[in-house]
Amino acid sequence: MKREFNVTSGTTLRCKGWRQEALLRLLENVLAVGEDPAQLIVYAALGRAARDWPSHDAIVHALKTMAEDQTLVVQSGKPIGLLRTHSRAPLVIMANCNMIGQWAKAENFYDLEQKNLICWGGLTAGDWQYIGSQGVIQGTYEIFSRIAERHFDNDLRGRFILTAGLGGMGGAQPLAGRMAGAAILTIEVDQERIDKRMKIGFLEKQAHDLDEALEMIRDAQEKREPLSVGLLGNAAEMYPEILARGVVPDIVTDQTAAHDLVYGYVPVGHTLDQVRALRTTDIPALMNASRASIVQHVSAMLGFKDRGAIVFDNGNLIRTHAKEGGVERAFEIPIFTEAFLRPLFCRAIGPFRWIALSNDADDIRKIDDYLLEHFANNAIVVNWIKLARQYVPFEGLPARIAWLGHGERTELALAVNRMVREGLLSGPVAFTRDHLDAGAMAHPNIMTENMRDGSDAIADWPLLNAMVNCSSMADLVAIHSGGGGYSGYMTSAGVTVVADGTVEADERLQLSMTNDTSMGVMRYADAGYPEALDEAERKSLPYIRI
Ligand code: NAD
């Protein structure tokens, strides 16, 4: 059967209520904006919306037929039951890709995946929260802005950022760099990904070769003009080549899917077709080749660091694989969360998103207006909304992301629910927050690296977060652990709540949003971060300090 990947518009319901309809539209949306929807792949190499097509179709059927007092149970992208619960319970609960500790290794994951017993949902693919490259864009922009504050007098004009990877998440980098005022060069090994980011307006130009790319960047630096350039090539070759030429960018990072040595990273000397063939014929050889390339790639990043560039890991395990490959100094490159964002997470300020379910972009603009008026004192939010309006194109259902914290998310969600009730918006709005959020993720090489109290590897926090979300009547609650190359590296929790304009939604939003961010602040307070302890006290959180 030939499948179409479109979003649904308007207010005609195919389900028994807006809550179910909302989740169905979000599922459609992640496929419409995903990287390879025919394979159900949304982003991050292997992050899938459902286990397989029969599972997908059964989920759609369940959402279309279920009543409000039922809960759909999904195990690694496959629906396994529709339980009678009650109308204040979540409509969907999910556990994706959770493997027992000693067995949670990439090789075991691939084996279980081949047997169709498990699938990885990425962080936002499997629970239908992905909103295209926009989902990560403010995070990338905030990192660049923090670096600008700390190292470049708050100004990235005339500065050169070197990075790689134009996939589902990495594709946000060129636009985030340009929004921050820099000249940014992104190396990408797959021409189709370059074409896609240019088509949707996230990337401005493509250079024919490295000479031309560096010339374009130099020119933009001299003119102090923002510019994004893409270059077809393998980062493990291009980074050392740039270093050998004595060119030192101001900022260097990478967002290839380096976490997955089989389905994500493309090793030097291999075409995409050769890599696809090796996935079925020789996984160990492919893993070795990827690791060897990552060694070259990270060695060059360290070379840039030694020559004065600000270098950071942007959450793709590239240091971890380099270290395994013998790069002893790999962890001298800091992780972005600890280096730049942790003070925000301590106050539960993190990537919070809303999606206009009617597909009317005006709804997002009206919510932007609300934020600009009612959050006028919040410089991060005001700056971001103005920039996002100007630069960020919508993909799929119109959506917005903004880094809001404790209390702010509740306030916005309730205001939007009122706007829906009063008919000011064309339809309901869904709220989700990213997994990379204060209480929602344990990931000792990304989110929780070098926690103050040493609690990096403790996964209790996201599990508690998910249970709190269920207790707080959220509409969809998910628990994930890593899959593919992330196997054994992380556990996280996701949540979605629908503002359908009802009084019941007021209660759901009030409890879910407030308790979700409370968990975030309490997680960091418990680890002893002064900012979190201050936030807990200032906002009178029910934190039990022992
Ligand atoms: P993706 O699979 O959609 O895209 C990865 C891209 O990297 C592909 O376009 C691929 O062609 C390219 N690539 C692979 N090897 C390459 C090489 N050697 N040289 C040049 N290009 C190469 O993945 P994504 O969704 O864009 O995610 C990228 C990484 O970022 C993943 O590891 C993901 O887990 C991580 N991530 C980080 C954050 C964050 O908040 N920092 C958020 C989400 C994802």
Side-chain angles (χ1 to χ4, degrees):
M1 175 171 76
K2 173 121 175 60
R3 299 202 179 243
E4 304 277 332
F5 303 104
N6 300 315
V7 295
T8 299
S9 303
T11 51
T12 306
L13 297 187
R14 294 157 299 170
C15 304
K16 290 187 176 160
W18 253 116
R19 293 171 67 210
Q20 300 92 313
E21 178 75 26
L23 298 180
L24 177 57
R25 290 187 187 202
L26 293 179
L27 169 57
E28 290 169 343
N29 193 48
V30 297
L31 289 171
V33 299
E35 293 299 300
D36 187 2
Q39 304 301 321
L40 286 155
I41 288 177
V42 178
Y43 76 110
L46 269 185
R48 280 180 208 281
R51 177 97 60 93
D52 49 24
W53 283 110
S55 298
H56 167 274
D57 296 345
I59 288 171
V60 169
H61 179 73
L63 289 172
K64 281 186 175 168
T65 52
M66 69 191 288
E68 268 216 277
D69 61 356
Q70 289 181 298
T71 296
L72 177 65
V73 182
V74 179
Q75 180 262 327
S76 280
K78 178 182 168 195
I80 57 152
L82 197 48
L83 304 178
R84 168 84 207 283
T85 51
H86 55 88
S87 61
R88 292 153 75 99
L91 283 172
V92 178
I93 55 172
M94 300 177 163
N96 283 342
C97 208
N98 299 286
M99 291 163 71
I100 298 298
Q102 291 295 316
W103 282 262
K105 299 188 166 46
E107 292 84 341
N108 293 339
F109 167 83
Y110 298 133
D111 183 44
L112 290 170
E113 211 213 17
Q114 296 275 312
K115 293 177 181 150
N116 204 25
L117 293 172
I118 202 165
C119 82
W120 188 45
L123 305 181
T124 51
D127 37 2
W128 322 328
Q129 296 164 341
Y130 180 76
I131 55 170
S133 299
Q134 186 184 168
V136 78
I137 194 167
Q138 195 191 355
T140 312
Y141 170 81
E142 292 301 337
I143 297 169
F144 292 152
S145 303
R146 296 288 92 76
I147 295 176
E149 259 168 34
R150 209 175 289 174
H151 300 281
F152 300 108
D153 284 336
N154 217 3
D155 186 1
L156 287 186
R157 282 174 306 164
R159 300 292 175 182
F160 171 17
I161 302 174
L162 172 65
T163 186
L166 286 171
M169 287 290 147
Q173 298 178 102
L175 185 50
R178 195 156 66 89
M179 288 165 91
I184 179 166
L185 171 61
T186 312
I187 316 287
E188 166 59 57
V189 80
D190 182 349
Q191 181 61 46
E192 277 183 26
R193 306 291 185 120
I194 296 179
D195 294 342
K196 178 165 181 180
R197 301 310 151 202
M198 288 186 77
K199 187 163 167 230
I200 61 175
F202 274 68
L203 174 69
E204 286 174 291
K205 296 195 169 148
Q206 177 172 4
H208 294 103
D209 54 30
L210 183 57
D211 289 328
E212 190 188 24
L214 292 176
E215 185 54 44
M216 288 161 93
I217 293 288
R218 217 171 8 248
D219 187 50
Q221 281 185 277
E222 276 165 21
K223 293 184 183 143
R224 293 168 62 77
E225 283 173 3
L227 177 72
S228 60
V229 179
L231 175 64
L232 184 65
N234 194 305
E237 271 176 336
M238 293 294 172
Y239 279 36
E241 174 62 27
I242 295 170
L243 185 66
R245 292 182 184 201
V247 177
V248 182
D250 296 288
I251 301 170
V252 179
T253 187
D254 170 73
Q255 219 171 5
T256 58
H259 70 277
D260 197 309
L261 301 175
V262 177
Y263 290 89
Y265 196 79
V266 177
V268 172
H270 292 67
T271 63
L272 295 175
D273 283 340
Q274 286 168 336
V275 168
R276 283 182 202 116
L278 278 174
R279 283 175 190 156
T280 48
T281 56
D282 198 346
I283 283 184
L286 185 52
M287 290 177 92
N288 285 337
S290 290
R291 203 177 287 111
S293 287
I294 286 176
V295 164
Q296 287 173 230
H297 193 153
V298 171
S299 298
M301 290 171 80
L302 284 164
F304 288 125
K305 186 170 188 295
D306 290 341
R307 286 164 183 73
I310 307 300
V311 182
F312 68 95
D313 177 314
N314 200 359
N316 62 354
L317 288 195
I318 195 159
R319 298 166 309 163
T320 313
H321 293 309
K323 180 107 197 260
E324 282 165 11
V327 183
E328 283 307 317
R329 296 177 53 212
F331 277 78
E332 287 179 20
I333 297 172
I335 185 73
F336 72 106
T337 41
E338 186 196 5
F340 307 114
L341 300 180
R342 193 156 291 162
L344 296 178
F345 288 134
C346 283
R347 297 186 189 278
I349 298 171
F352 182 59
R353 310 93 78 80
W354 47 97
I355 301 138
L357 295 164
S358 66
N359 196 18
D360 183 346
D362 255 1
D363 285 359
I364 297 298
R365 294 196 188 99
K366 287 175 189 160
I367 300 171
D368 284 347
D369 288 340
Y370 178 90
L371 275 165
L372 290 174
E373 187 184 338
H374 294 267
F375 287 69
N377 295 332
N378 185 326
I380 294 184
V381 170
V382 169
N383 175 47
W384 172 252
I385 294 295
K386 286 183 179 164
L387 279 172
R389 270 191 155 171
Q390 189 184 346
Y391 287 102
V392 182
F394 292 131
E395 293 173 76
L397 290 177
R400 185 70 83 217
I401 185 154
W403 281 49
L404 298 178
H406 181 73
E408 295 170 337
R409 297 185 192 184
T410 313
E411 182 186 336
L412 178 70
L414 290 174
V416 168
N417 200 41
R418 265 196 314 275
M419 289 160 88
V420 176
R421 184 157 52 235
E422 289 165 7
L424 300 175
L425 302 180
S426 312
V429 172
F431 287 93
T432 78
R433 56 113 177 94
D434 203 283
H435 291 230
L436 191 89
D437 200 54
M441 183 188 267
H443 193 326
N445 274 174
I446 297 185
M447 185 69 180
T448 49
E449 184 164 314
N450 291 329
M451 288 295 284
R452 198 184 164 102
D453 62 347
S455 59
D456 307 19
I458 295 178
D460 293 343
W461 296 102
L463 300 181
L464 285 170
N465 211 132
M467 288 191 275
V468 165
N469 290 143
C470 283
S471 316
S472 305
M473 307 191 293
D475 288 303
L476 178 146
V477 182
I479 294 171
H480 299 266
S481 290
Y486 278 131
S487 303
Y489 279 94
M490 54 159 291
T491 293
S492 71
V495 61
T496 300
V497 193
V498 182
D500 61 4
T502 59
V503 177
E504 290 78 13
D506 279 339
E507 198 178 1
R508 276 189 207 101
L509 291 162
Q510 168 79 47
L511 289 180
S512 304
M513 298 297 135
T514 307
N515 291 339
D516 192 57
T517 44
S518 297
M519 284 301 295
V521 175
M522 294 195 293
R523 193 268 175 270
Y524 283 91
D526 200 64
Y529 285 90
E531 296 95 331
L533 289 161
D534 173 66
E535 186 77 1
E537 198 174 309
R538 247 177 7 104
K539 298 206 173 152
S540 305
L541 289 183
Y543 171 56
I544 300 172
R545 192 172 181 184
I546 296 173

